[in-house]
Amino acid sequence: MTSLSLSTKFSLYPNSTFLQFQFPNRTQRISFPKKTQIACSATEQPKGQQKRPKKKKSVTDSEKGIDPVGFLTKFGISHKQFSQFLRERHKSLKDLTDEIFNRHIDLRDMASGFEILGIHRHPEHREDYMEWAPGARYCALVGDFNGWSPTENCAREGHFGHDDYGYWFIILEDKLRDGEKPDELYFQQYNYIDDYDKGDSGVPIEEIFKKANDEYWEPGEDRFIKNRYEIPAKLYEQIFGPNGPQTLEELEEIPDAETRYKAWKEQHKDDLPSNTPCYDVIDNGKEYDIFNVVLDPVSQEKFRAKKPPLAYWLETRKGRQAWLKKYSPCIPHGSKYRVYFNTPSGPLERVPAWATYVQPDAEGEQAFAIHWDPPPEYAYKWKNSRPKVPKSLRIYECHVGISGSEPKISSFSDFIEKVLPHVKEAGYNTIQLIGVIEHKDYFTVGYRATNLYAVSSRYGTPDDFKRLVDEAHGLGLLVFLDIVHSYSAADEMVGLSLFDGTNDCYFHTGKRGHHKYWGTRMFKYGDLDVLHFLLSNLNWWPTEYQIDGFHFHSLSSMMYTHNGFASFTGDLEEYCNQYVDKDALLYLILANEILHALHPDIITIAEDATFYPGLCEPTSQGGLGFDYCVNLSVSEMWSSFLETVPDHDWSMTKIVNTLMGNRKFADKTLVYAENHNQSISGGRSFAEILFGEIRDGSHDTEKLLLRGCSLHKMIRLITLTIGGRAYLNFMGNEFGHPERVEFPMPSNNFSFSLAKRRWDLLAKEGLHRNLFIFDKDLMNLDENERVLTRVLLSIHHVNDDNMVIAYLRGPLLFVFNFHPTDSYEGYRIGVEEAGEYQLVLNTDEIKYGGQGLIKDDQYLRKTISKRLVLTSLTPRLPLQYFLISVFYLCVHVLEFNSGYFLWFCPLCCSDILVLQRRWPPKLLRSAYAQ
């Protein structure tokens, strides 16, 4: 596999604790500052006595902004135990990086293991294979290329075969074709990329070398190069030869170097001029001076002007045509192979951990690695560049296998043809792929990954996946990958479990090495080689496949030894007690630091049900460095309301509080009404809940349909607009997919009937097309009005009795009525600025499946000035502080049976008036503080 390398220079400063990444146009630093101590004295300095001036310590720019508890100070959080934990974690991070630098040049080298591990083509007509298996005693590569022989291609004994860290190295020589002779030069190289270069010109190697010597060396310069032993031989003959001294007495005392050098100069003062370099001994007259031999300045300048004969060396490198004529590949493209180990437990065959293409056999009990090395003329070539990262993310979550309309596993090509155009039309700007990384069992949705460097062969080849990413980029879509580094499959025949015969290779031993409820294995994040594997995996996908971001799945499983299955009260002690895995936190910090340094535009999203403090805060301020974190409570709330709570009992206060989440981290929140969990993980989608009770011919069908359609639209719109900077939707949910997803498994007799999407519903007029049109207009609304990028709302009108919610986001006014039966006429909503408000989005419009009760002449409303005491503005503020004078928008809503409606109004900025504030500012600020 040809790997893509970054044209990046790295320099490690030995006297500082930061790693500097040098890019062509900018410099970024990963900072690991030294710990500073501040001494405080409670005693006063006696008069007349001056403090001795202390020498100021030089601090680099990268260290000035480091504060292990910075985000706690930012939010005014005071918790001694958690602060101490953050400081200890920062010290552990410094110790870890020091340990890394003892083994690796820099952090980029730490995260680029895929450049040397696995199988790679070497220019010297061979393939190199490297694997980490510290518990193995013997390593060989077996496959159909060598008849599955465990002895033909094996690692050599000693350090030529494996090092002290357990990395095995195997060289596989290309095979000579019949009638061909081996190359005369053992270091003969071939250019495998181009079809032709100078090496195919037919010029003999001897002629190239002679040309290099004749043109590079001047007469006399190569005398001592060709005759290296001339001077030592003469010196030996002079001292120990037949005419030299025979005893120590005859040898006498040997003069010092300066005396002998001057004597030699006097002896050869009449020699003819020579092109050989001239040297002189310079003595500075110091006792400790060792006579310095200095090159003549003229000769030195002449030597520096010379250029090495690289041009001649390149002429010895032959092209691909010459290699194809003389050799056949040791492992042909498409060959099946595995790695063979001899362990204390006996012989084992495993799929290589760094394999880039893996395919299960027909029975599904074993898998093979596929050597993917297509000829250059057939390898995929990128056409489109990566799109710019948008200010707001509208993510369309997809599963390739169930993306088709037919009951089968869809391919990457099917996805490109059918789904990508739909995503573009729907107005989303990002796709997030789940289940792409190779996994054994299809019904696990891909979360029990077995081979972290391979795309699933169920959907196509690595080049097919490259084409998918390339086509998405061509449509202006970012491509995110759902990455699972929080656990791994426990399958011993395919995955990493017992990889080298030992139980502690990649995973913890004992109970800690197994997930308490899911039966998966837990990585050993404190091991450098495991970090090397995982960090390199994160770097692999953006480098090889140009992935734009990662969704880190189920961080709770890795950050706690109880795997997140514990009750959390919100006390910070729960995030720093004995159940917290500090090694996992250090891995996440390194992952974000390295990813953002090597790929500055990459996006990382954290999925953590425990809302770990500082998820999205900078690592320099004590955070973990993610760009977004998922508010998992939102989908759970909506699902609970729809399935267990009657319509009249819905709490508007709970809706607002859940959607807003923790306001301190709202700028980094990703929200969704429902994702794949509601339709894949054994649950029902919202559409199945809302429309599943509708029966044809029932007198309640029309009423239930209107209720379900209204709630489906309102839930999505309030979720997108009320909180967060990013929005996510699972494939098909935008048009109310009527069926849940059920993967083929023994319980359903391996049926594919529900493992698909009903795209045919969009071609028909009716409910599902109406819902899609609304969702499309909702996405366009964010694109045109920048809803997600607006300043987060701060004032709400929340009335649990009337079940009305109203709020402002920027100049945009949103009004919701969740009451199942009551409508309101003349309902007054406070706004911050006066003017004309125009209705631009109404869920009750006919094209969205509504009744169209609001007429065109009611789309424009003007504010009026009126003073009153608000019955409810926000559940967080005392009501007595809201005797105010503001401008109100009088919203006239006609009564209709369902009672579900929404008005969305952008503010017209003409005739803006200053608000008259009648309350003490300090009192208001104190109210907000409460």
Side-chain angles (χ1 to χ4, degrees), residues 159-174:
H159 280 72
F160 290 102
H162 67 92
D163 61 13
D164 294 336
Y165 300 106
Y167 286 88
W168 296 84
F169 183 65
I170 301 175
I171 296 177
L172 302 96
E173 298 284 349
D174 289 335

Side-chain angles (χ1 to χ4, degrees), residues 778-882:
L778 183 59
M779 296 302 108
N780 292 335
L781 185 66
D782 176 68
E783 177 69 21
N784 299 328
E785 301 294 338
R786 308 187 311 278
V787 177
L788 290 172
T789 59
R790 296 283 185 183
V791 177
L792 294 178
L793 60 159
S794 58
I795 299 178
H796 289 266
H797 173 81
V798 182
N799 192 310
D800 284 319
D801 295 330
N802 296 334
M803 301 184 70
V804 174
I805 300 174
Y807 53 88
L808 290 160
R809 189 161 184 178
L812 312 175
L813 172 64
F814 299 86
V815 185
F816 293 81
N817 175 20
F818 278 93
H819 203 286
T821 57
D822 295 347
S823 296
Y824 307 102
E825 184 174 354
Y827 201 95
R828 293 179 177 133
I829 302 298
V831 295
E832 294 182 355
E833 300 185 47
E836 294 182 346
Y837 286 74
Q838 181 180 6
L839 178 64
V840 296
L841 183 63
N842 176 17
T843 59
D844 191 50
E845 290 191 28
I846 296 177
K847 65 177 181 178
Y848 301 146
Q851 295 177 301
L853 299 178
I854 299 179
K855 307 304 179 184
D856 292 341
D857 57 353
Q858 297 174 306
Y859 273 38
L860 190 65
R861 287 288 178 267
K862 294 183 179 181
T863 58
I864 61 173
S865 178
K866 188 170 183 178
R867 176 184 301 180
L868 83 164
V869 178
L870 296 182
T871 57
S872 175
L873 186 65
T874 170
R876 298 183 178 181
L877 303 184
L879 297 181
Q880 62 265 29
Y881 295 133
F882 292 98

Side-chain angles (χ1 to χ4, degrees), residues 257-456:
E258 183 181 12
T259 303
R260 286 186 284 114
Y261 177 75
K262 291 180 179 179
W264 181 84
K265 290 281 288 184
E266 182 65 25
Q267 182 182 356
H268 294 278
K269 65 181 179 179
D270 297 328
D271 289 355
L272 296 175
S274 173
N275 289 321
T276 57
C278 181
Y279 296 90
D280 279 311
V281 175
I282 298 178
D283 183 11
N284 294 330
K286 299 177 182 178
E287 294 182 0
Y288 56 84
D289 179 48
I290 299 176
F291 304 103
N292 297 318
V293 179
V294 179
L295 183 65
D296 174 58
V298 177
S299 301
Q300 188 177 18
E301 187 64 28
K302 184 178 180 181
F303 179 78
R304 287 177 176 176
K306 284 183 174 295
K307 295 181 180 180
L310 293 179
Y312 306 105
W313 172 255
L314 292 177
E315 286 194 33
T316 67
R317 190 171 187 177
K318 298 185 179 182
R320 182 174 175 81
Q321 287 183 349
W323 175 80
L324 286 172
K325 178 182 178 182
K326 194 166 190 174
Y327 293 95
S328 60
C330 54
I331 306 182
H333 169 62
S335 299
K336 296 181 179 179
Y337 70 95
R338 286 199 291 261
V339 60
Y340 174 92
F341 295 124
N342 190 358
T343 71
S345 303
L348 299 173
E349 282 190 12
R350 292 286 186 260
V351 176
W354 300 76
T356 59
Y357 190 32
V358 179
Q359 193 173 63
D361 66 358
E363 289 77 19
E365 298 178 355
Q366 184 58 282
F368 303 91
I370 307 296
H371 181 54
W372 190 257
D373 186 21
E377 58 270 21
Y378 297 109
Y380 187 81
K381 296 176 177 59
W382 295 94
K383 299 179 296 183
N384 302 303
S385 58
R386 295 179 177 179
K388 293 182 179 180
V389 178
K391 294 183 178 180
S392 64
L393 293 177
R394 301 185 299 276
I395 304 174
Y396 196 82
E397 191 178 34
C398 313
H399 187 285
V400 174
I402 65 172
S403 63
S405 300
E406 301 178 7
K408 66 172 186 177
I409 299 178
S410 297
S411 65
F412 289 132
S413 298
D414 297 332
F415 187 88
I416 294 171
E417 180 182 353
K418 299 177 182 178
V419 181
L420 283 184
H422 170 79
V423 177
K424 181 65 177 178
E425 180 189 359
Y428 293 84
N429 55 25
T430 305
I431 61 171
Q432 180 172 299
L433 300 173
I434 61 176
V436 166
I437 299 175
E438 187 59 72
H439 50 285
K440 178 189 174 184
D441 299 317
Y442 185 52
F443 68 87
T444 62
V445 197
Y447 284 119
R448 296 183 182 179
T450 54
N451 309 97
L452 297 182
Y453 286 81
V455 296
S456 179

Side-chain angles (χ1 to χ4, degrees), residues 19-39:
L19 178 66
Q20 179 169 305
F21 290 74
Q22 296 179 348
F23 290 87
N25 298 323
R26 58 191 177 278
T27 299
Q28 297 190 12
R29 292 178 176 179
I30 292 182
S31 304
F32 303 99
K34 297 181 179 179
K35 185 176 181 180
T36 59
Q37 296 182 353
I38 301 176

Side-chain angles (χ1 to χ4, degrees), residues 638 652 655-656 659 710-711 713-722 774 778 793 796-799 802-807 813-819 822 824 827 829 841 843 891 893 899-904:
W638 289 126
M652 302 298 103
I655 290 176
V656 171
L659 288 172
S710 300
L711 279 178
K713 291 175 290 187
M714 294 175 67
I715 288 174
R716 274 162 173 73
L717 196 143
I718 194 173
T719 301
L720 182 144
T721 58
I722 201 172
F774 173 78
L778 183 59
L793 60 159
H796 289 266
H797 173 81
V798 182
N799 192 310
N802 296 334
M803 301 184 70
V804 174
I805 300 174
Y807 53 88
L813 172 64
F814 299 86
V815 185
F816 293 81
N817 175 20
F818 278 93
H819 203 286
D822 295 347
Y824 307 102
Y827 201 95
I829 302 298
L841 183 63
T843 59
V891 181
V893 181
Y900 293 104
F901 69 92
L902 164 71
W903 270 22
F904 165 79

Side-chain angles (χ1 to χ4, degrees), residues 670-708:
L670 180 147
V671 294
Y672 51 76
E674 59 174 332
N675 72 341
H676 65 272
N677 289 328
Q678 275 69 34
S679 54
I680 288 181
S681 303
R684 295 190 298 167
S685 67
F686 290 178
E688 188 177 4
I689 299 172
L690 292 171
F691 307 124
E693 301 177 359
I694 299 176
R695 298 183 298 274
D696 293 336
S698 172
H699 65 279
D700 292 333
T701 298
E702 184 177 352
K703 182 178 180 180
L704 291 174
L705 185 64
L706 186 59
R707 168 188 178 269

